[in-house]
Amino acid sequence: MGIHIEAKDGSIAECVLLSGDPLRAKHIAQTYFSDSFCYNEIRGMYGYTGYWNGHRVSVQGTGMGMPSFSIYAHELIEGYGVKKLIRVGTCGTICERAKLRSIVIAQAADTDSGMNRSRFDSYSFAPCASFSLLQRAWDLAMEKKLDAVVGNVFTSDQFYDGKIEEKVAIAKSLGALAVEMETCELYTLAALKKVKALSLLTVSDSLLTLEQVPPLERQVAFDEMVTLALETFFD
Ligand code: HPA
């Protein structure tokens, strides 16, 4: 048992989907998994294990932002032997290529977070996806004719205020496709702990036009990405 995850040993699968919103984790388990059970309720950060097409799989809520995300990913890997993690999240587009409802497959992450500065001092680590997971997700997305794009994302520490506009301008000038708040930590932990990780992100809003996917439609766009993530694990 960890401090934030109360699952019994052996009750979390080697492949785990990660959702910022714990209620989305519950929705994923109820919609996609058979024989599922809830292994974590601490802080309402639900985690479930079940089966998808006969494969054992889990889904865990992480909360928003790198520090919260880091706690759950750390305990999954160190405490429960998780080997493959796919984040299924949302992002705000900052480019023409990624449209509302597109799926961004995050190749690597820029960040303004202090976490890696505190870990590595002046050493600038390049947090990037597992190539095998990324390649599989991309091939599947093309096969299924999904509106998917591969590129870098900007993992921001702030949703509001700060110097977010100036930072987004830098991210955009360096070719980042979208803004979100967790991928940099996922890719850094994967490198440190020798596991495989990928971030898939549905575009829920645009920082260019300020449009948003309406809440009711969000689930449909999100579900397409969850299926892609599960197929990427088990194809
Ligand atoms: N900013 C940061 N994170 C996000 C956004 C955003 O606009 N949209 C979805 N996640």
Side-chain angles (χ1 to χ4, degrees):
M1 256 177 73
I3 295 173
H4 305 87
I5 301 179
E6 61 190 337
K8 295 200 183 72
D9 282 353
S11 60
I12 302 182
E14 283 201 350
C15 295
V16 180
L17 298 174
L18 301 166
S19 160
D21 178 354
L23 292 178
R24 280 236 164 92
K26 187 175 184 178
H27 166 82
I28 290 169
Q30 289 173 344
T31 310
Y32 294 93
F33 296 1
S34 55
D35 296 326
S36 73
F37 65 93
C38 181
Y39 64 73
N40 192 56
E41 289 191 346
I42 296 177
R43 290 175 182 252
M45 205 58 84
Y46 301 120
Y48 292 82
T49 296
Y51 291 85
W52 179 80
N53 280 357
H55 302 282
R56 193 159 181 264
V57 60
S58 298
V59 59
Q60 173 66 52
T62 64
M64 289 179 280
M66 285 175 51
S68 177
F69 180 92
S70 185
I71 287 168
Y72 294 97
H74 177 101
E75 289 187 21
L76 288 170
I77 299 164
E78 293 291 336
Y80 296 97
V82 170
K83 300 284 183 244
K84 291 184 189 174
L85 304 96
I86 300 183
R87 164 164 152 70
V88 283
T90 57
C91 63
T93 181
I94 57 171
C95 69
E96 300 294 325
R97 275 168 64 210
K99 314 233 178 315
L100 284 191
R101 304 175 194 78
S102 296
I103 297 172
V104 172
I105 304 177
Q107 176 172 252
D110 302 343
T111 192
D112 63 351
S113 163
M115 284 184 79
N116 279 356
R117 244 174 295 136
S118 109
R119 274 194 182 105
F120 304 128
D121 291 325
S122 66
Y123 188 93
S124 268
F125 170 67
C128 60
S130 146
F131 182 69
S132 58
L133 289 180
L134 185 144
Q135 188 177 38
R136 208 172 311 150
W138 175 250
D139 288 348
L140 283 164
M142 291 303 95
E143 228 172 77
K144 292 151 69 81
K145 301 198 185 336
L146 298 179
D147 174 14
V149 284
V150 174
N152 293 358
V153 297
F154 170 38
T155 301
S156 168
D157 257 359
Q158 273 173 300
F159 190 94
Y160 296 115
D161 305 324
K163 291 185 175 167
I164 190 71
E165 277 155 31
E166 289 98 312
K167 287 173 185 172
V168 164
I170 297 172
K172 201 164 148 31
S173 76
L174 292 170
L177 304 180
V179 186
E180 55 81 71
M181 301 182 74
E182 294 83 14
T183 297
C184 175
E185 183 62 7
L186 173 62
Y187 289 176
T188 303
L189 284 175
L192 284 169
K193 298 178 186 303
K194 313 281 181 279
V195 298
K196 290 185 190 293
L198 180 66
S199 220
L200 300 179
L201 306 159
T202 299
V203 177
S204 60
D205 57 279
S206 167
L207 276 73
L208 305 179
T209 64
L210 306 182
E211 288 171 287
Q212 295 185 359
V213 178
L216 282 178
E217 264 184 64
R218 242 175 237 195
Q219 205 59 57
V220 179
F222 193 82
D223 283 353
E224 214 169 48
M225 172 179 62
V226 173
T227 304
L228 177 64
L230 288 164
E231 289 172 352
T232 299
F233 272 149
F234 303 117
D235 187 39

Short mmCIF file of all heavy atoms in Angstrom, two decimals, residues 145-177:
data_model
loop_
_atom_site.label_atom_id
_atom_site.label_comp_id
_atom_site.label_asym_id
_atom_site.label_seq_id
_atom_site.Cartn_x
_atom_site.Cartn_y
_atom_site.Cartn_z
N LYS A 145 -8.01 6.16 -39.57
CA LYS A 145 -8.30 7.48 -40.17
C LYS A 145 -8.76 8.50 -39.11
O LYS A 145 -9.71 9.28 -39.33
CB LYS A 145 -9.34 7.36 -41.29
CG LYS A 145 -8.90 6.43 -42.42
CD LYS A 145 -9.72 6.70 -43.65
CE LYS A 145 -9.45 5.77 -44.81
NZ LYS A 145 -8.16 5.10 -44.90
N LEU A 146 -8.10 8.49 -37.98
CA LEU A 146 -8.41 9.47 -36.93
C LEU A 146 -7.71 10.79 -37.27
O LEU A 146 -6.68 10.80 -37.95
CB LEU A 146 -7.92 8.98 -35.56
CG LEU A 146 -8.52 7.69 -35.03
CD1 LEU A 146 -7.93 7.34 -33.68
CD2 LEU A 146 -10.05 7.84 -34.91
N ASP A 147 -8.26 11.87 -36.76
CA ASP A 147 -7.61 13.17 -36.91
C ASP A 147 -6.57 13.29 -35.79
O ASP A 147 -6.84 13.82 -34.73
CB ASP A 147 -8.68 14.27 -36.81
CG ASP A 147 -8.06 15.64 -36.82
OD1 ASP A 147 -6.86 15.77 -37.16
OD2 ASP A 147 -8.77 16.60 -36.47
N ALA A 148 -5.37 12.74 -36.07
CA ALA A 148 -4.31 12.74 -35.05
C ALA A 148 -3.08 13.48 -35.58
O ALA A 148 -2.82 13.47 -36.78
CB ALA A 148 -3.93 11.31 -34.70
N VAL A 149 -2.36 14.13 -34.66
CA VAL A 149 -1.11 14.80 -35.04
C VAL A 149 -0.04 14.46 -34.01
O VAL A 149 -0.34 14.32 -32.83
CB VAL A 149 -1.26 16.35 -35.11
CG1 VAL A 149 -1.97 16.77 -36.36
CG2 VAL A 149 -1.98 16.90 -33.90
N VAL A 150 1.19 14.30 -34.50
CA VAL A 150 2.32 14.03 -33.61
C VAL A 150 3.17 15.29 -33.49
O VAL A 150 3.45 15.94 -34.50
CB VAL A 150 3.22 12.90 -34.16
CG1 VAL A 150 4.46 12.71 -33.29
CG2 VAL A 150 2.46 11.59 -34.22
N GLY A 151 3.57 15.62 -32.28
CA GLY A 151 4.47 16.76 -32.10
C GLY A 151 4.69 17.03 -30.63
O GLY A 151 4.25 16.27 -29.77
N ASN A 152 5.41 18.13 -30.36
CA ASN A 152 5.71 18.47 -28.97
C ASN A 152 4.55 19.22 -28.32
O ASN A 152 3.76 19.87 -29.00
CB ASN A 152 6.96 19.35 -28.92
CG ASN A 152 8.19 18.60 -29.36
OD1 ASN A 152 8.13 17.41 -29.68
ND2 ASN A 152 9.31 19.28 -29.40
N VAL A 153 4.49 19.10 -27.00
CA VAL A 153 3.52 19.87 -26.24
C VAL A 153 4.25 20.73 -25.21
O VAL A 153 5.42 20.48 -24.91
CB VAL A 153 2.49 18.95 -25.51
CG1 VAL A 153 1.68 18.16 -26.51
CG2 VAL A 153 3.17 18.02 -24.51
N PHE A 154 3.56 21.73 -24.72
CA PHE A 154 4.09 22.58 -23.65
C PHE A 154 3.39 22.19 -22.36
O PHE A 154 2.17 22.37 -22.24
CB PHE A 154 3.86 24.05 -24.01
CG PHE A 154 4.14 25.02 -22.89
CD1 PHE A 154 5.20 24.84 -22.00
CD2 PHE A 154 3.34 26.15 -22.73
CE1 PHE A 154 5.45 25.75 -20.97
CE2 PHE A 154 3.57 27.06 -21.71
CZ PHE A 154 4.63 26.86 -20.83
N THR A 155 4.14 21.59 -21.42
CA THR A 155 3.59 21.24 -20.11
C THR A 155 3.77 22.44 -19.19
O THR A 155 4.89 22.76 -18.78
CB THR A 155 4.31 20.01 -19.52
OG1 THR A 155 4.17 18.91 -20.40
CG2 THR A 155 3.73 19.65 -18.16
N SER A 156 2.65 23.11 -18.91
CA SER A 156 2.70 24.35 -18.16
C SER A 156 2.38 24.11 -16.69
O SER A 156 1.61 23.21 -16.36
CB SER A 156 1.67 25.30 -18.78
OG SER A 156 1.48 26.40 -17.95
N ASP A 157 2.97 24.90 -15.82
CA ASP A 157 2.64 24.82 -14.39
C ASP A 157 1.39 25.63 -14.08
O ASP A 157 0.84 25.49 -13.00
CB ASP A 157 3.80 25.36 -13.55
CG ASP A 157 4.61 24.24 -12.93
OD1 ASP A 157 4.26 23.07 -13.13
OD2 ASP A 157 5.61 24.55 -12.26
N GLN A 158 1.01 26.51 -14.99
CA GLN A 158 -0.13 27.38 -14.68
C GLN A 158 -1.19 27.32 -15.76
O GLN A 158 -0.88 27.28 -16.95
CB GLN A 158 0.34 28.82 -14.53
CG GLN A 158 0.78 29.08 -13.10
CD GLN A 158 1.41 30.43 -12.95
OE1 GLN A 158 2.42 30.71 -13.58
NE2 GLN A 158 0.81 31.25 -12.12
N PHE A 159 -2.43 27.29 -15.32
CA PHE A 159 -3.55 27.35 -16.26
C PHE A 159 -3.95 28.82 -16.43
O PHE A 159 -4.25 29.26 -17.52
CB PHE A 159 -4.72 26.54 -15.69
CG PHE A 159 -5.84 26.32 -16.66
CD1 PHE A 159 -5.89 25.16 -17.43
CD2 PHE A 159 -6.85 27.26 -16.82
CE1 PHE A 159 -6.93 24.95 -18.33
CE2 PHE A 159 -7.89 27.06 -17.71
CZ PHE A 159 -7.92 25.90 -18.47
N TYR A 160 -3.94 29.55 -15.30
CA TYR A 160 -4.32 30.96 -15.31
C TYR A 160 -3.14 31.85 -14.94
O TYR A 160 -2.24 31.41 -14.22
CB TYR A 160 -5.42 31.22 -14.26
CG TYR A 160 -6.71 30.50 -14.54
CD1 TYR A 160 -7.16 29.50 -13.67
CD2 TYR A 160 -7.48 30.81 -15.65
CE1 TYR A 160 -8.35 28.84 -13.90
CE2 TYR A 160 -8.67 30.15 -15.89
CZ TYR A 160 -9.10 29.18 -15.02
OH TYR A 160 -10.28 28.52 -15.26
N ASP A 161 -3.17 33.07 -15.38
CA ASP A 161 -2.26 34.12 -14.94
C ASP A 161 -0.79 33.80 -15.21
O ASP A 161 -0.47 33.14 -16.19
CB ASP A 161 -2.49 34.42 -13.44
CG ASP A 161 -3.93 34.76 -13.17
OD1 ASP A 161 -4.55 35.41 -14.03
OD2 ASP A 161 -4.44 34.38 -12.11
N GLY A 162 0.08 34.25 -14.28
CA GLY A 162 1.51 34.08 -14.52
C GLY A 162 1.87 34.80 -15.80
O GLY A 162 1.32 35.84 -16.11
N LYS A 163 2.81 34.23 -16.52
CA LYS A 163 3.17 34.83 -17.81
C LYS A 163 2.75 33.87 -18.90
O LYS A 163 3.49 33.64 -19.86
CB LYS A 163 4.67 35.07 -17.85
CG LYS A 163 5.14 36.14 -16.90
CD LYS A 163 6.62 36.38 -17.09
CE LYS A 163 7.07 37.53 -16.22
NZ LYS A 163 8.53 37.59 -16.14
N ILE A 164 1.57 33.27 -18.71
CA ILE A 164 1.16 32.17 -19.58
C ILE A 164 1.14 32.59 -21.05
O ILE A 164 1.58 31.85 -21.93
CB ILE A 164 -0.16 31.52 -19.10
CG1 ILE A 164 -0.45 30.23 -19.85
CG2 ILE A 164 -1.33 32.45 -19.13
CD1 ILE A 164 0.44 29.10 -19.51
N GLU A 165 0.70 33.83 -21.33
CA GLU A 165 0.63 34.24 -22.75
C GLU A 165 2.01 34.32 -23.38
O GLU A 165 2.21 33.86 -24.50
CB GLU A 165 -0.11 35.57 -22.88
CG GLU A 165 -1.61 35.34 -22.90
CD GLU A 165 -2.40 36.53 -22.43
OE1 GLU A 165 -1.94 37.67 -22.63
OE2 GLU A 165 -3.49 36.31 -21.86
N GLU A 166 2.97 34.90 -22.63
CA GLU A 166 4.34 35.00 -23.17
C GLU A 166 4.93 33.61 -23.37
O GLU A 166 5.59 33.33 -24.36
CB GLU A 166 5.25 35.77 -22.21
CG GLU A 166 4.97 37.26 -22.11
CD GLU A 166 4.10 37.60 -20.91
OE1 GLU A 166 3.06 36.93 -20.69
OE2 GLU A 166 4.47 38.53 -20.19
N LYS A 167 4.67 32.72 -22.42
CA LYS A 167 5.24 31.37 -22.52
C LYS A 167 4.62 30.59 -23.67
O LYS A 167 5.31 29.85 -24.37
CB LYS A 167 5.07 30.63 -21.20
CG LYS A 167 6.01 31.17 -20.13
CD LYS A 167 5.72 30.55 -18.80
CE LYS A 167 6.59 31.18 -17.72
NZ LYS A 167 6.19 30.72 -16.39
N VAL A 168 3.33 30.75 -23.86
CA VAL A 168 2.67 30.08 -24.98
C VAL A 168 3.26 30.60 -26.30
O VAL A 168 3.47 29.83 -27.25
CB VAL A 168 1.14 30.27 -24.92
CG1 VAL A 168 0.48 29.93 -26.25
CG2 VAL A 168 0.55 29.40 -23.81
N ALA A 169 3.57 31.90 -26.34
CA ALA A 169 4.18 32.46 -27.57
C ALA A 169 5.53 31.80 -27.84
O ALA A 169 5.86 31.48 -28.99
CB ALA A 169 4.33 33.97 -27.42
N ILE A 170 6.30 31.56 -26.80
CA ILE A 170 7.61 30.89 -26.98
C ILE A 170 7.37 29.45 -27.46
O ILE A 170 7.99 28.98 -28.42
CB ILE A 170 8.43 30.89 -25.67
CG1 ILE A 170 8.77 32.32 -25.24
CG2 ILE A 170 9.72 30.07 -25.85
CD1 ILE A 170 9.40 32.43 -23.87
N ALA A 171 6.46 28.75 -26.77
CA ALA A 171 6.17 27.35 -27.14
C ALA A 171 5.75 27.26 -28.60
O ALA A 171 6.23 26.40 -29.35
CB ALA A 171 5.07 26.79 -26.23
N LYS A 172 4.89 28.19 -29.00
CA LYS A 172 4.39 28.23 -30.39
C LYS A 172 5.55 28.47 -31.36
O LYS A 172 5.67 27.79 -32.38
CB LYS A 172 3.38 29.38 -30.46
CG LYS A 172 2.40 29.34 -31.57
CD LYS A 172 1.29 30.33 -31.21
CE LYS A 172 0.66 31.00 -32.40
NZ LYS A 172 0.57 30.34 -33.63
N SER A 173 6.42 29.40 -31.01
CA SER A 173 7.54 29.73 -31.91
C SER A 173 8.50 28.55 -32.04
O SER A 173 9.23 28.43 -33.02
CB SER A 173 8.29 30.97 -31.42
OG SER A 173 9.10 30.63 -30.31
N LEU A 174 8.51 27.66 -31.05
CA LEU A 174 9.39 26.48 -31.09
C LEU A 174 8.66 25.26 -31.66
O LEU A 174 9.17 24.15 -31.65
CB LEU A 174 9.91 26.17 -29.69
CG LEU A 174 10.88 27.21 -29.12
CD1 LEU A 174 11.14 26.94 -27.64
CD2 LEU A 174 12.18 27.22 -29.89
N GLY A 175 7.42 25.45 -32.11
CA GLY A 175 6.71 24.38 -32.82
C GLY A 175 5.85 23.49 -31.96
O GLY A 175 5.35 22.47 -32.45
N ALA A 176 5.66 23.82 -30.68
CA ALA A 176 4.76 22.99 -29.86
C ALA A 176 3.34 23.09 -30.40
O ALA A 176 2.93 24.13 -30.92
CB ALA A 176 4.80 23.44 -28.40
N LEU A 177 2.60 21.98 -30.28
CA LEU A 177 1.25 21.92 -30.85
C LEU A 177 0.18 22.38 -29.86
O LEU A 177 -0.86 22.89 -30.26
CB LEU A 177 0.91 20.48 -31.26
CG LEU A 177 1.84 19.77 -32.24
CD1 LEU A 177 1.34 18.37 -32.50
CD2 LEU A 177 1.95 20.57 -33.52
#
